């Protein structure tokens, strides 16, 4: 691989890479606002300027500037080299680039920082971006000057509602056009543009339109400052109180990698942020996915129930034993769930095979034929359909379960997950089941009709593995503490097995994972983008 | 040395001088026949020999620019003519469009042939309504005669010329910004590379020439490139031919005149412009449009290198150096558009600088940070200085701001702002200090001669 030198360090690059991109691959950040690895190059912020040393037989291009000489009491003409934007300049073999080590670059960065903050309202105390704002970070890293412009800054529109999800503050905007380029290039809906000129510039929505569609949250996500905020997160939390864990979006079979940000003080999930993964979602997530963190708290099953009434776990397990005690094995259906993790499904599969001999295994799921697009959104709204299929190759579809119930071949059900593809339409048939035992994290048709419900931890409360549409195993880590009496699904199923007199010896997640069949074992997801963890 | 020519101006002030019959009677549409009889390479070589330095301000050799055009396997080539004349103090292209539009059309045919294009678009500043009308009328006349169309002058080389109304601002005079505007996009400069010769209008190879540059092309081919170049006393340093010179500001006879290259600023001001209003002394002069740093008559050429082309003027006033692309660069400014703006003694350089910076503040497209914020900050600080509200720190900041715009922007607009700002600061620091110290008042500052 060819290399060039950045501040004396060898940086390998792929042909066509720009300086900033090659450095970014190595985990070295050249400061920037407008550049984003997933968007086209705009080179308008001028923060990433670097000094490129001339080749041996060439002279550097020098520019005439002035320096005030106090001793002379006059200006002194001096020269400075022409700097180049590293986001635009292609890396070439043997090139020598000075970034942090060039005094000209240091000066230029400081100047750009001062220019950007010239008319900025500096309303950090009431700004949602505060704490994760490039203006703040770079001021500390590259600014640290005393403010020279003490006049009234330019005023521009504030709190402009761009659409159902996004609010814009033109005074905070640095005009990097990342949002404009995102809508053009990724969302393929060129609804944003810039209007006016000079320092009166502002981002605006196309006349007659609003910023809507399936990817509006990403405009906020790419915004390096607090100009774009989401109505969902606005004024809700200060980011320095939040902790984050790597998670996997549960909204569809794409399995977008996400950061789940939560407030540990209140055990509350506050938002998702996309987690870069070149092989899955690149840098993006859809709006539905971005909002799906709400499911960490909404529609949850948190207490055991018998006949709809909240009871103690021991009571629920007793009831399960009572209703299943004398039932013929072939009348019991084992229903795996595309909504639950590989670990939970494995536990139920183990329980089922010991209880019924492994026949009659079905799969439930949420909607499987919803909205889809060619960007990220999969029509299958379940995070783990492939995981269930890998575990139980001969798993029967939910429709077959409904037929078998209607025909009386299935009278009892042990199910994982509350949701069914048909929702309320499934209630009538499910009502014909004599008794249903459901282990679930969320409410659905199954929990509604169940005799016994055991609360399972949601994806946010326990580590779990999910297999996406591409067959990649991805782990969502534990963020929140367990809510109510819920326990990880595999743990509830172990307790259920014990109550039913079945040997269910697994006690730790490690043990469960060790026993997952080889093809269903979680592997580190491939193609994860490099060590730069902060927002690019 | 003043040597008047009338290649472009021979139709000026003639009755119906802008029509095809008059143009032809005065020798028009002859050179194009000669050019169309040559091969493409010959045309480009002839253009190179003429040493026509781009008339738009940067002074890039026209022939060399043409030679960058390589045939593309799938894409057509375009000729784009920049007539978005908006530089303060510049008023030459307009006269050509209004009074000699057929020179432009003829130049376009030759230019298209030379670079391998079949379409030329002339991007005319919106406000110049008469210019647009005269160009359109000229195109219609030429089409009716068959000079434009499928077989110009019997040559199987179709050429069409269109006039495109500028839909933008000053920045649309920047060549890539103009191409964006031509395509119907927001007039913002593009990132370079790729340069227009690789990917210009609609992503196709494009040559962008200034309107005056293309208008002189028929002359070049009529008299031969080398002959044309030799008109100039600066022929030896590749700055050839004749061009339009403008003189404006505080002179008695502001005007546009065509002269062979080699005239000095003093000749232009006194012999052509009739001297300074009220017979005052010259405070300073801006050589060619507001983006070029100001010169003071007290400045003398200080070149010690004998090999330097400027050596022969060593020790002389910069106002006695012939106005040329490289000579002006040698004295720390730019030739620009070659329209000299004169400020008479008694007028205020601080107000002049504020006036210019107000313009750049207003016209910055706002795409990149240093220009967007810096130009506005310069204007604001200068306003404070004139209002008597500025401190020495504010004055010192001016230099910093301009230094930090310089070279750090996407297009040359940044330098166009920073260079004149640094020029005024360096040459008039005392006047600025007088305002800061309260010795002068902005309300008494004038840009007019009393």
């Amino acid at each position: 691989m060819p290399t060039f030198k950045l501040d004396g360090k060898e940086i390998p690059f792929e042909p066509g890479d720009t300086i900033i991109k090659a450095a970014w691959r190595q985990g070295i950040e050249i400061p920037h606002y407008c550049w984003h690895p997933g968007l086209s190059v705009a080179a308008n912020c001028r923060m990433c300027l670097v000094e490129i040393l001339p080749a041996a037989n060439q002279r550097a291009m020098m520019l005439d500037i002035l320096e005030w000489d106090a001793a002379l009491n006059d200006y002194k003409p001096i020269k400075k080299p022409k700097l180049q934007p590293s986001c635009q300049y292609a890396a070439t073999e043997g090139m020598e680039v000075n970034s942090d080590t060039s005094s000209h670059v240091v000066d230029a960065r400081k100047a750009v920082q001062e220019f950007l903050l010239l008319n900025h309202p500096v309303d950090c105390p009431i700004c949602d971006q505060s704490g994760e704002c490039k203006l703040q970070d770079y001021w500390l890293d590259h600014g640290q000057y005393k403010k020279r412009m003490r006049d009234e800054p330019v005023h521009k529109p504030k709190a402009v509602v761009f659409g159902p999800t996004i609010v814009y503050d033109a005074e905070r905007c640095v005009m990097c056009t990342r949002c404009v380029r995102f809508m053009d290039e990724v969302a393929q809906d060129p609804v944003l543009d810039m209007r006016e000129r000079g320092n009166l510039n502002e981002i605006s929505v196309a006349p007659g339109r609003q910023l809507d569609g399936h990817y509006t949250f990403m405009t906020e996500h790419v915004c390096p400052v607090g100009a774009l905020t989401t109505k969902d997160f606005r004024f809700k939390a200060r980011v320095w109180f939040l902790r984050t864990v790597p998670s996997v979006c549960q909204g569809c079979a794409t399995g977008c990698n996400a950061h789940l940000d939560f407030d540990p003080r209140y055990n509350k999930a506050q938002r998702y942020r996309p987690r870069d993964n070149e092989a899955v979602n690149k840098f993006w997530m859809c709006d539905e996915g971005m909002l799906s963190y709400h499911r960490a708290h909404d529609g949850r099953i948190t207490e055991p129930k018998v006949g709809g009434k909240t009871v103690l776990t021991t009571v629920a397990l007793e009831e399960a034993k009572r209703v299943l005690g004398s039932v013929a094995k072939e009348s019991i259906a084992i229903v795996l769930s595309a909504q639950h993790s590989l670990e939970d499904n494995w536990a139920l599969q183990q329980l089922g095979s010991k209880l019924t001999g492994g026949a009659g295994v079905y799969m439930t799921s949420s909607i499987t034929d919803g909205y889809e697009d060619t960007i990220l959104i999969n029509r299958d709204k379940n995070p783990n359909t492939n995981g269930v299929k890998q575990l139980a190759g001969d798993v029967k579809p939910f429709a077959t379960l409904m037929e078998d119930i209607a025909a009386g071949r299935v009278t009892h059900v042990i199910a994982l997950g509350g949701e069914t593809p048909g929702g309320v339409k499934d209630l009538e048939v499910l009502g014909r089941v004599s008794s249903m035992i459901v282990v679930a994290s969320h409410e659905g048709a199954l929990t509604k009709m169940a005799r016994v419900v055991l609360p399972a931890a949601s994806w946010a409360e326990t580590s779990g593995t999910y297999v996406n549409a591409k067959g990649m195993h991805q782990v969502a880590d534990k963020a929140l503490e367990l809510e109510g009496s819920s326990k990880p699904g595999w743990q509830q199923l172990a307790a259920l097995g014990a109550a039913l007199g079945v040997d269910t010896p697994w006690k730790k997640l490690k043990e469960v994972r060790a026993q997952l069949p080889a093809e269903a074992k979680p592997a580190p997801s491939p193609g994860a983008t490099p060590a730069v963890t902060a927002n690019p | 040395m003043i040597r008047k020519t009338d290649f472009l101006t021979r139709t000026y002030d003639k009755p119906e001088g802008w029509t095809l019959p008059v143009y032809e009677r005065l020798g028009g549409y002859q050179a194009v026949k000669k050019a169309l009889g040559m091969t493409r390479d010959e045309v480009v070589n002839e253009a190179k020999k003429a040493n026509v330095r781009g008339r738009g301000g940067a002074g890039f050799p026209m022939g060399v620019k043409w030679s960058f055009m390589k045939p593309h396997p799938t894409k057509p080539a375009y000729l784009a003519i920049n007539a978005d004349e908006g530089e303060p103090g510049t008023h030459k292209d307009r006269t050509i469009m209004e009074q000699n539009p057929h020179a432009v059309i003829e130049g376009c045919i030759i230019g298209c042939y030379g670079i391998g294009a079949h379409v030329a678009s002339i991007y005319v500043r919106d406000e110049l309504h008469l210019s647009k009308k005269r160009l359109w009328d000229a195109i219609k006349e030429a089409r009716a005669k068959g000079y434009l169309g499928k077989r110009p002058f019997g040559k199987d080389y179709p050429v069409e010329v269109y006039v495109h109304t500028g839909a933008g601002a000053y920045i649309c005079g920047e060549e890539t910004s103009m191409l964006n505007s031509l395509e119907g996009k927001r007039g913002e400069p593009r990132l370079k590379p790729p340069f227009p010769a690789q990917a210009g209008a609609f992503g196709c190879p494009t040559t962008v020439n200034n309107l005056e540059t293309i208008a002189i092309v028929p002359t070049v081919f009529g008299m031969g490139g080398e002959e044309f170049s030799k008109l100039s006393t600066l022929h030896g340093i590749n700055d050839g031919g004749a061009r339009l010179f403008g003189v404006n500001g505080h002179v008695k006879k502001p005007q546009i005149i065509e002269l062979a290259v080699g005239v000095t600023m003093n000749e232009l001001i006194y012999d052509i412009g009739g001297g300074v209003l009220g017979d005052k002394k010259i405070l300073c002069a801006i050589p060619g449009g507001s983006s070029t740093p100001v010169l003071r008559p007290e400045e003398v050429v200080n070149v010690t290198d004998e090999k330097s082309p400027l050596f022969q003027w060593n020790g002389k006033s910069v106002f006695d150096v012939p106005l040329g692309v490289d000579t002006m660069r040698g004295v720390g400014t730019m030739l620009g558009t070659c329209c000299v703006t004169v400020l008479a003694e008694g007028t205020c350089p601080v107000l002049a600088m504020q006036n210019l910076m107000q313009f750049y503040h207003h016209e910055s497209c706002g795409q990149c940070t240093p220009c967007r914020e810096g130009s506005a900050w310069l204007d604001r600080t200068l306003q404070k200085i004139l209002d008597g509200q500025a401190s020495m720190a504010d004055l010192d900041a001016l230099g910093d701001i301009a230094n930090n715009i310089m070279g750090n922007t996407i297009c040359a607009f940044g330098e166009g702002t920073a260079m004149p700002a640094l020029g005024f600061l360096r040459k008039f620091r005392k006047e600025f200090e007088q305002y800061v110290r309260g010795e002068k008042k902005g309300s008494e500052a004038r840009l007019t001669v009393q």
Side-chain angles (χ1 to χ4, degrees):
Chain A
M1 202 179 244
T3 61
F4 67 94
K5 269 191 184 155
L6 178 65
D7 290 333
K9 190 171 178 252
E10 293 284 341
I11 306 284
F13 67 94
E14 288 165 19
D17 270 357
T18 54
I19 295 169
I20 203 171
K21 189 157 195 177
W24 172 74
R25 284 190 213 281
Q26 300 304 308
I28 298 170
E29 193 198 66
I30 297 176
H32 60 274
Y33 290 91
C34 68
W35 181 76
H36 189 289
L39 298 174
S40 65
V41 171
N44 61 30
C45 75
R46 314 312 275 183
M47 190 66 184
C48 74
L49 292 173
V50 290
E51 184 180 351
I52 293 163
L53 302 184
N57 54 350
Q58 283 175 336
R59 277 189 311 169
M61 184 181 167
M62 302 301 280
L63 301 161
D64 295 310
I65 54 171
L66 293 181
E67 188 182 58
W68 179 249
D69 189 331
L72 214 61
N73 198 30
D74 199 359
Y75 286 107
K76 197 172 66 183
I78 55 169
K79 287 187 185 294
K80 69 167 185 179
K82 165 96 179 155
L83 305 178
Q84 296 292 348
S86 60
C87 66
Q88 186 199 349
Y89 209 93
T92 53
E93 173 74 60
M95 163 196 268
E96 283 189 60
V97 182
N98 282 347
S99 171
D100 297 344
T101 50
S102 161
S103 66
H104 300 289
V105 171
V106 170
D107 288 349
R109 281 178 190 161
K110 192 171 172 179
V112 168
Q113 194 63 24
E114 187 174 20
F115 283 139
L116 286 175
L117 284 168
L118 205 63
N119 290 300
H120 190 279
V122 201
D123 55 348
C124 308
I126 55 156
C127 178
D128 285 297
Q129 191 81 9
S130 196
E132 53 183 11
C133 175
K134 278 197 191 292
L135 279 172
Q136 289 180 328
D137 294 350
Y138 290 158
W139 190 85
L140 286 167
D141 290 346
H142 310 290
Q144 302 258 12
Y145 55 84
K146 281 198 176 133
K147 193 166 170 65
R148 291 194 280 186
M149 212 285 287
R150 303 210 157 269
D151 308 308
E152 186 72 10
V154 174
H155 289 294
K156 295 195 208 179
K158 295 181 84 73
V160 183
V161 175
F162 267 10
T165 55
I166 301 290
V167 179
Y168 174 64
D169 184 325
E171 290 186 350
R172 292 177 187 161
C173 184
V174 295
M175 302 299 155
C176 67
T177 67
R178 273 184 177 189
C179 54
V180 178
R181 284 176 285 142
F182 175 84
M183 290 309 291
D184 284 2
E185 295 160 16
V186 184
Q188 290 154 32
D189 178 13
V191 68
L192 295 181
D193 206 344
M194 198 182 269
R195 64 179 291 276
E196 264 294 346
R197 68 182 188 220
N199 68 347
L200 298 176
N201 268 1
E202 61 180 86
I203 304 295
S204 69
V205 185
R209 275 289 308 274
Q210 54 176 355
L211 176 59
D212 53 15
H214 292 276
Y215 295 92
T216 63
F217 272 67
M218 285 304 98
T219 59
E220 185 274 340
H221 174 64
V222 295
C223 183
V225 297
L228 293 173
T229 47
T230 65
K231 287 185 182 172
D232 184 64
F233 189 68
R234 221 167 132 76
F235 306 136
K236 214 169 68 170
R238 308 289 359 203
V239 297
W240 50 86
F241 289 129
L242 301 184
R243 297 294 173 268
T244 188
V245 296
S247 191
V248 175
C249 178
Q250 305 285 301
C252 78
T254 303
C256 290
N257 292 203
H259 292 289
L260 180 56
D261 291 348
F262 64 100
D263 192 331
R265 297 171 304 168
Y266 311 112
N267 199 38
K268 189 162 172 23
Q270 292 287 31
R271 65 171 179 186
Y272 263 145
R273 277 178 299 132
R275 186 158 53 93
D276 306 351
N277 188 333
E278 197 63 45
V280 184
N281 51 316
K282 296 193 172 68
F283 311 93
W284 322 121
M285 279 174 73
C286 72
D287 285 2
E288 291 76 7
M290 286 291 282
L291 283 170
S292 67
Y293 78 88
H294 282 288
R295 296 250 306 160
H297 304 292
D298 293 351
R300 286 294 312 285
I301 302 280
T302 57
E303 294 298 333
K305 284 178 184 163
V306 170
K309 288 206 177 86
T310 301
V311 295
L312 290 173
T313 308
T314 47
V315 177
L317 290 172
E318 275 299 312
E319 178 67 6
K321 187 181 171 187
R322 190 189 67 77
V323 298
L324 287 178
S326 56
V327 179
K329 282 177 185 178
E330 50 281 7
S331 310
I332 301 177
I334 300 296
V335 182
L336 304 179
S337 172
Q339 290 266 309
H340 274 253
S341 69
L342 212 47
E343 290 81 356
D344 290 0
N345 278 295
W346 175 84
L348 179 56
Q349 191 197 27
Q350 291 295 307
L351 174 66
S353 68
K354 285 175 182 168
L355 192 68
T356 68
V361 179
Y362 305 83
M363 172 165 66
T364 185
S365 64
S366 180
I367 300 163
T368 54
D369 58 349
Y371 171 84
E372 67 175 338
D373 65 21
T374 53
I375 305 168
L376 283 180
I377 302 174
N378 195 297
R379 65 206 307 244
D380 177 9
K381 303 302 170 194
N382 298 281
N384 205 18
T385 307
N386 264 342
V388 174
K389 284 180 180 164
Q390 280 183 0
L391 263 185
D394 54 350
V395 67
K396 291 181 243 179
F398 189 76
T400 314
L401 175 68
M402 299 298 272
E403 283 165 23
D404 289 351
I405 292 170
R409 290 191 287 273
V410 166
T411 58
H412 289 71
V413 169
I414 303 177
L416 188 59
E419 286 194 80
T420 62
V424 288
K425 282 181 279 176
D426 299 328
L427 290 176
E428 194 265 326
V429 177
L430 289 172
R432 294 190 220 169
V433 178
S434 302
S435 289
M436 196 147 55
I437 317 292
V438 178
V439 176
S441 58
H442 288 86
E443 289 163 356
L446 289 170
T447 55
K448 199 159 202 168
M449 305 310 285
R451 176 68 196 157
V452 178
V453 179
L454 292 167
S458 77
W459 89 101
E461 290 163 7
T462 181
S463 179
T465 309
Y466 302 86
V467 184
N468 73 357
K470 285 184 178 168
M472 297 162 67
H473 291 73
Q474 307 192 102
V475 175
D477 276 351
K478 170 187 159 75
L480 303 171
E481 296 306 318
L482 296 166
E483 231 178 294
S485 309
S486 61
K487 284 180 190 159
W490 51 268
Q491 224 171 324
Q492 288 290 29
L493 287 160
L496 179 63
L500 296 177
V502 178
D503 183 27
T504 48
W506 56 89
K507 289 200 171 59
K508 288 181 177 160
L509 185 63
K510 257 200 321 208
E511 294 168 20
V512 176
R513 286 200 172 145
Q515 293 182 67
L516 290 175
E519 69 275 16
K521 265 197 187 133
S525 58
T529 30
V532 182
T533 49
N535 289 346
Chain B
M1 186 184 69
I2 295 177
R3 182 173 166 196
K4 288 187 190 172
T5 60
D6 67 345
F7 305 116
L8 286 172
T9 55
R10 64 179 61 157
T11 61
Y12 284 28
D13 301 324
K14 294 264 171 14
E16 305 280 299
W18 52 88
T19 58
L20 193 140
V22 176
Y23 182 66
E24 282 204 300
R25 199 173 67 231
L26 296 172
Y29 287 115
Q30 295 304 314
V32 63
K33 294 177 193 163
K34 205 164 141 190
L36 290 176
M38 300 160 89
T39 67
R40 253 196 71 184
D41 285 348
E42 284 167 356
V43 169
V44 173
N45 281 334
E46 199 63 32
K48 278 188 187 169
K49 280 187 216 157
N51 288 321
V52 174
R53 305 294 287 260
R55 311 299 200 216
F60 196 81
M62 177 192 76
V64 179
K65 201 181 224 182
W66 284 9
S67 70
F68 293 153
M69 294 291 284
K70 301 280 180 275
H72 193 278
T74 55
K75 290 175 177 174
Y78 291 110
L79 176 64
I81 305 302
N82 190 342
D84 191 52
E85 188 176 51
E87 182 87 359
T90 301
H91 42 109
K92 60 185 183 64
D93 296 343
R94 179 180 182 173
T95 64
I96 303 171
M97 291 186 280
E98 288 180 359
Q99 305 200 60
N100 196 0
H102 280 285
V104 181
I105 310 301
E106 191 178 355
C108 282
I109 302 170
I110 302 171
C112 278
Y113 182 64
I115 63 166
H118 294 282
V119 172
S121 286
I122 309 173
Y123 186 96
V124 185
R125 179 175 168 181
D126 177 44
E127 290 87 342
L128 305 182
H129 300 294
L130 182 61
S131 295
K132 283 182 283 184
K133 183 180 182 306
R134 291 265 163 92
L135 283 171
W136 268 128
D137 288 349
I139 290 169
K140 278 180 206 151
E141 283 179 301
R143 253 191 217 147
K145 278 262 196 176
Y147 296 173
L148 289 173
K150 289 215 160 65
R151 293 179 67 85
F153 305 96
K155 176 94 176 175
D156 186 17
Y157 191 89
V159 174
E160 288 292 353
V161 180
Y162 301 98
V163 175
H164 188 101
T165 296
Y170 173 69
I171 193 62
C172 292
E174 196 275 344
E175 61 176 7
T176 57
S177 201
M178 186 191 88
L179 294 174
N180 270 343
S181 184
L182 199 63
E183 293 177 18
K185 295 176 182 155
R186 186 179 157 89
E188 282 182 340
R190 296 177 182 173
L191 306 180
K192 286 149 279 203
F195 293 93
Q198 297 143 13
F202 307 97
C204 302
T206 303
T207 293
V208 182
N209 281 144
N210 174 260
L211 184 114
E212 189 194 337
T213 312
I214 209 75
I216 200 68
V217 166
T219 308
V220 168
F221 283 82
M223 68 192 298
E226 198 158 345
E227 281 305 303
F228 177 77
S229 180
K230 281 179 179 165
L231 291 171
S232 158
T233 61
L234 300 179
H235 164 71
I237 52 170
N238 300 327
D239 198 341
R243 62 188 296 170
L244 296 185
F245 287 81
V247 56
N248 59 57
H250 304 146
V251 288
K252 288 176 184 165
K253 291 188 285 182
Q255 60 182 299
I256 289 290
I257 186 168
E258 189 183 312
L259 302 169
V261 174
V263 67
T264 68
M265 198 121 73
N266 268 336
E267 288 166 340
L268 202 56
I269 294 168
Y270 291 103
D271 299 342
I272 306 292
V276 181
L277 285 176
D279 291 319
K280 291 188 185 290
K281 284 184 182 165
I282 299 169
L283 175 74
C284 60
I286 301 170
S290 61
S291 298
T292 56
V294 65
L295 290 177
R296 298 190 71 162
E298 304 88 71
E299 290 177 55
V300 289
V301 181
N302 181 14
V303 182
T304 46
D305 181 8
E306 281 182 38
K307 284 178 201 149
S308 163
L310 274 174
F311 187 71
Q312 56 173 305
W313 295 285
N314 202 16
K316 288 193 176 173
S317 164
V318 292
F319 278 50
D320 289 324
V321 175
L323 288 160
V325 174
D326 298 312
T327 51
M328 285 299 109
R329 204 167 280 161
V331 299
T333 181
M334 281 174 76
L335 178 63
T337 56
C338 209
C339 289
V340 176
T341 304
V342 180
L343 268 76
E345 207 172 51
T347 56
C348 177
V350 181
L351 186 58
M353 177 174 170
Q354 190 273 329
N355 183 301
L356 293 183
M357 293 305 128
Q358 187 179 347
F359 175 80
Y360 289 110
H361 167 199
H362 188 254
E363 295 296 338
S364 168
C365 80
Q367 187 181 195
C368 64
T369 309
C371 170
R372 176 181 70 231
E373 302 295 341
S375 60
W377 194 8
L378 285 170
D379 177 25
R380 180 192 285 239
T381 309
L382 285 162
Q383 193 62 60
K384 273 175 75 178
I385 290 174
L386 285 169
D387 290 348
Q389 291 168 356
S391 63
M392 274 301 175
D394 287 324
L395 175 54
D396 289 339
L398 284 177
D400 266 7
I401 300 166
N403 282 349
N404 287 321
I405 299 173
M406 184 72 111
N408 290 354
T409 53
I410 292 175
C411 77
F413 189 108
E415 281 95 85
T417 310
M419 285 189 309
L422 291 172
F424 272 103
L425 283 172
R426 188 177 173 197
K427 294 169 188 179
F428 293 101
R429 170 84 185 192
K430 285 197 176 60
E431 280 79 353
F432 286 88
E433 289 180 359
Q434 285 172 340
Y435 279 97
V436 174
R437 285 197 296 264
E439 294 161 17
K440 276 192 176 179
K441 278 187 185 159
S443 55
E444 289 161 11
R446 295 195 186 285
L447 285 178
T448 49
V449 176
Q450 294 293 298

